[in-house]
Amino acid sequence: MIASGSKSGFFHTRYYIGDSKRKAIFCEYDGSLAGILTYDRTGRGYRRQFCIDLISVEPDFQRMGLGTAMMSLAYKAAVRANCTAISSEVKATNVPSLALMRTHSFAEEEPDELNVVKFLKVIRTVSENPKT
């Protein structure tokens, strides 16, 4: 885990790929970039969904809880953005990412023809949508 007093922590930023605005959570550990989670929001209103595009932790920093910490920050960002669900797609051969999604109770589909597993975690149902 991240030690108190070390040059470690998490920060959010925005970046652009072409005309598409994306957001990222970076994880720093002892002054080194240790991990990144990128995401975007899709849909509007009560159909807004939070999509995790990428989550990666450098091999030297794996099994330290950094992926779980970034997932927790992503969940909080999705709730703040009033999203109804979080989704992600993971290659069926990516064992660490599959384990992370399963640990966080994402529902999963069988791998598709491209060997990609789709994950979904419902944050709230549409009936729980606050009236605006």
Side-chain angles (χ1 to χ4, degrees), residues 71-107:
M71 288 292 285
S72 177
L73 289 171
Y75 183 86
K76 290 175 185 175
V79 170
R80 276 194 311 272
N82 202 29
C83 293
T84 57
I86 302 173
S87 66
S88 188
E89 295 182 353
V90 177
K91 287 294 266 183
T93 56
N94 187 340
V95 176
S97 289
L98 293 171
L100 185 64
M101 294 297 172
R102 291 171 181 151
T103 297
H104 288 274
S105 303
F106 278 73

Side-chain angles (χ1 to χ4, degrees), residues 35-51:
I36 183 172
L37 183 149
T38 64
Y39 63 93
D40 194 11
R41 292 186 303 258
T42 63
R44 293 176 181 235
Y46 66 90
R47 297 277 185 215
R48 184 176 292 214
Q49 191 165 324
F50 190 95
C51 303

